[in-house]
Amino acid sequence: MTPRLACKPGYYFLTKLYKMFFFLFLMVKEESKKIEKIIIFIDGNNLYHNLGRMFNNEKRDFLNFEKFIKHMANDRKVIETYYYIGIFDLTYNSKSYADQQRFFSKLRKIKNFNLFTCRMQKVKIDGKNIYQTKEDDIRLALDMVKLTDKYDTAILVSNDGDFVPVVEFVQEKGKKVENIGIGKSPSYYLKQVCDGFRKLNKREIKQLLGN
């Protein structure tokens, strides 16, 4: 009869320890595959006017959106960016229209950047003709809902508290929403309901200007 070889107690301990670390390694590897998917939604009209107030209607057209997106993402990967803005009336001011078209051309060159232009409606307030952007807020809100299967976290760039209902809706779907406020007038209710809030001040914005 062949005698059985006795194993040292330390062998069993090392074997169990190896299996435990191997199992932990597999768990960490699996978690690393779950990259947070981020989509940025920019309320372009709101951003434009808040930058105008911040810089006294100067420099607001010189924001470098590639730097801006990277700054908001904070070292995270952005899947796509959606930007909503009213388009100027060519017949009302041809120079402003041409300048805006050049600005749009720059935006269209940015990778994974989606530009949506909305109509502007002429209204008379205190005897003056004023153009107001229409449909932009509702289009942004609809896209936040329609695209919930594409992102884990939405970054909403706006000071507008009207977005609170859509934020609460996508949160019920298991999504996170972070709010980026610009300047001195972010919405108190919007930042309260969002999962995260960050206010960009004039000093930060200055670092994001230029080519």
Side-chain angles (χ1 to χ4, degrees):
M1 184 176 181
T2 304
R4 296 179 62 185
L5 295 176
C7 295
K8 296 181 181 180
Y11 171 80
Y12 292 107
F13 173 76
L14 290 174
T15 302
K16 289 183 178 180
L17 191 64
Y18 171 78
K19 288 181 179 179
M20 181 180 71
F21 277 111
F22 183 70
F23 178 70
L24 288 173
F25 168 76
L26 291 178
M27 288 181 62
V28 171
K29 188 177 180 181
E30 187 64 27
E31 284 297 319
S32 66
K33 295 179 182 178
K34 299 177 182 178
I35 300 174
E36 183 183 14
K37 294 179 290 185
I38 295 174
I39 291 182
I40 297 176
F41 297 92
I42 302 175
D43 181 355
N45 186 58
N46 190 272
L47 175 64
Y48 178 81
H49 288 292
N50 278 296
L51 289 176
R53 283 189 283 270
M54 182 180 287
F55 293 103
N56 296 318
N57 293 324
E58 297 178 357
K59 298 185 179 181
R60 60 183 174 187
D61 294 328
F62 297 99
L63 184 65
N64 185 312
F65 274 83
E66 289 181 289
K67 291 182 182 179
F68 186 54
I69 291 167
K70 187 176 180 180
H71 189 70
M72 289 186 292
N74 195 23
D75 295 326
R76 295 172 296 175
K77 182 176 178 60
V78 176
I79 305 300
E80 288 183 298
T81 299
Y82 289 80
Y83 181 84
Y84 307 81
I85 188 71
I87 186 168
F88 291 151
D89 186 348
L90 173 62
T91 61
Y92 178 72
N93 190 321
S94 58
K95 182 181 182 305
S96 294
Y97 177 83
D99 289 343
Q100 189 184 50
Q101 290 301 311
R102 283 192 290 270
F103 170 63
F104 288 167
S105 295
K106 290 182 180 180
L107 294 182
R108 292 189 177 101
K109 294 177 182 178
I110 300 174
K111 186 178 179 180
N112 298 323
F113 193 100
N114 302 282
L115 170 66
F116 292 95
T117 56
C118 307
R119 68 183 180 88
M120 296 190 75
Q121 181 173 308
K122 183 167 66 174
V123 296
K124 185 168 285 189
I125 299 178
D126 296 330
K128 297 181 179 179
N129 288 327
I130 296 176
Y131 282 83
Q132 295 180 338
T133 305
K134 298 295 181 180
E135 304 169 355
D136 54 335
D137 289 357
I138 190 64
R139 290 187 68 174
L140 189 158
L142 284 172
D143 283 343
M144 279 188 70
V145 172
K146 289 193 299 183
L147 297 170
T148 49
D149 61 331
K150 290 189 175 182
Y151 66 84
D152 302 307
T153 300
I155 297 179
L156 174 60
V157 183
S158 181
N159 288 3
D160 192 344
D162 288 346
F163 288 113
V164 167
V166 71
V167 169
E168 292 177 330
F169 180 85
V170 298
Q171 285 173 331
E172 289 175 2
K173 299 296 181 181
K175 308 301 177 180
K176 292 182 179 179
V177 182
E178 298 174 6
N179 177 220
I180 301 293
I182 305 296
K184 299 179 179 179
S185 58
S187 166
Y188 171 81
Y189 297 105
L190 183 59
K191 69 180 183 179
Q192 288 297 312
V193 76
C194 285
D195 298 282
F197 171 75
R198 183 179 178 189
K199 182 171 73 172
L200 298 185
N201 56 37
K202 190 173 183 177
R203 179 183 58 80
E204 287 180 279
I205 294 293
K206 280 184 175 180
Q207 296 175 355
L208 306 175
L209 299 177
N211 297 323

